[in-house]
Amino acid sequence: MIVTVTYNPAVDQTIQFDEQMAPDRVMRADEAQFDAGGKGINAAQLLTAMDRPCVATGLLGGFTGSFIRETLQGDGVETAFVDVDGTTRLNTTAIAAAEEYKLNQAGPTVGESVVDSLLERVRAQSPDRVLVGGSLPPGLSPDAIDRIAGGGDWETIVDTGGDVLRELDAQYGLCKPNRTELGDATGADVSTVEGCADAADTFRERGFDRVLASLGADGAVLVGDEGRLYAEALDIDVVDTVGAGDALLSGVLSAWEAGADDETALRTGVAVSSQVVKRAGTAVPDLNDIDSLRDGVTVRRL
Ligand SMILES: Nc1ncnc2c1ncn2[C@@H]1O[C@H](COP(=O)(O)OP(=O)(O)O)[C@@H](O)[C@H]1O
Ligand SMILES: O=P(O)(O)OC[C@H]1O[C@](O)(COP(=O)(O)O)[C@@H](O)[C@@H]1O
């Protein structure tokens, strides 16, 4: 089973405008929605929807924290969160005339003792895999992720970017950078798919058994002992891409949990992510067609 750890959850607010953003005037949204978000939380919702045993942990506080807890309970997601004093952040995606603006808050400041509390929650579940997803709130350093990775005999998957990804020091089963994060972390030229696979390959030497690089509309690359695989994205009408990376990773993990090889896992990831980008926000989409969508994903070896 999988435990997800989200140090910095978020309520995802998605607002849609049918005109371009403009300064110094009131913009009135046509549509708005709130979803429980944060990388590990999105993954836990998707994994639960795909019938994979999963428990969501992380840090929650304030009215936004209560919203996330209630939403997950309503979705039948098992939870084991740690309460914090501050208020969980609210992240906003504004879609205006086909442009996407992502406005993410820093989150509440927390003390390092939360890492011990979270490790306790994780150990209590005896998981096979632990996914640590998202940014760190103020007060925590990359050591908070390394400590989860070194805290038991589970395989740890990490989905974070920026300096945090560069500074991780433990042994990981997988990391999932997007193209920008992969380029930033390696300094490599990631303008081509081959360049991304090369960068992923070199990144493996830093302690990651596999690297799953998401390339937006260009698809995804998975590099590991089974080879260098590239999957094209499906041709779909995109509403917004928030949660796309979490969906890709959830599909891959779901397939691995069912015993699939890397190629099938990559296909599944692309299929799940295409369902998420077809609709606004980060709520769980319709996953009934995943098997047939997966069969339509083109994969080649690089
Ligand atoms: N414009 C798009 N068209 C089709 N699929 C997309 C598009 N954007 C994202 N996806 C799918 O979502 C996956 C993850 O997207 P990406 O934007 O790279 O992740 P992240 O949210 O981590 O930045 C891609 O690998 C792809 O399968
Ligand atoms: O922790 P970060 O990096 O600020 O990201 C948090 C945001 O990312 C999301 O998990 C979506 O992530 P992806 O678009 O990478 O899949 C949102 O639910 C959340 O608001």
Side-chain angles (χ1 to χ4, degrees), residues 213-262:
S214 62
L215 312 181
D218 285 339
V221 162
L222 176 59
V223 176
D225 287 347
E226 291 179 34
R228 292 153 50 104
L229 301 168
Y230 166 61
E232 284 175 27
L234 291 171
D235 186 13
I236 42 169
D237 289 333
V238 175
V239 175
D240 80 59
T241 63
V242 188
D246 301 340
L248 174 76
L249 180 54
S250 303
V252 167
L253 292 178
S254 167
W256 279 340
E257 286 285 291
D261 60 13
D262 283 6

Side-chain angles (χ1 to χ4, degrees), residues 134-147:
S135 59
L136 292 170
L140 294 184
S141 70
D143 186 55
I145 302 177
D146 282 337
R147 284 190 57 204

Side-chain angles (χ1 to χ4, degrees), residues 8 10 12 37-39 42 89 91 104 134-135 241-246 282:
N8 206 5
D12 285 327
K39 301 200 191 305
N42 292 335
R89 65 195 168 141
N91 289 344
N104 286 13
S135 59
T241 63
V242 188
D246 301 340
T282 52

Side-chain angles (χ1 to χ4, degrees), residues 8-138:
N8 206 5
V11 170
D12 285 327
Q13 173 183 224
T14 310
I15 39 180
Q16 302 190 45
F17 305 89
D18 64 7
E19 55 183 340
Q20 278 185 327
M21 284 284 180
D24 304 326
R25 51 168 290 214
V26 176
M27 301 286 303
R28 298 205 184 268
D30 299 312
E31 286 182 53
Q33 78 186 60
F34 295 105
D35 297 306
K39 301 200 191 305
I41 287 174
N42 292 335
Q45 288 176 295
L46 288 163
L47 286 163
T48 301
M50 290 184 278
D51 292 327
R52 302 288 175 248
C54 178
V55 176
T57 70
L59 309 177
L60 289 179
F63 72 102
T64 36
S66 304
F67 171 83
I68 290 174
R69 201 185 295 274
E70 281 160 27
T71 303
L72 293 181
Q73 277 162 6
D75 287 350
V77 177
E78 252 194 83
T79 59
F81 281 91
V82 172
D83 291 315
V84 293
D85 286 339
T87 301
T88 293
R89 65 195 168 141
L90 182 127
N91 289 344
T92 301
T93 301
I95 305 163
E99 285 177 329
E100 200 173 293
Y101 299 82
K102 295 180 184 177
L103 311 166
N104 286 13
Q105 295 182 11
T109 300
V110 298
E112 277 178 17
S113 61
V114 296
V115 181
D116 298 308
S117 312
L118 270 175
L119 256 176
E120 232 173 75
R121 302 285 199 284
V122 175
R123 286 191 183 120
Q125 304 296 332
S126 307
D128 306 302
R129 292 192 166 100
V130 176
L131 161 61
V132 187
S135 59
L136 292 170

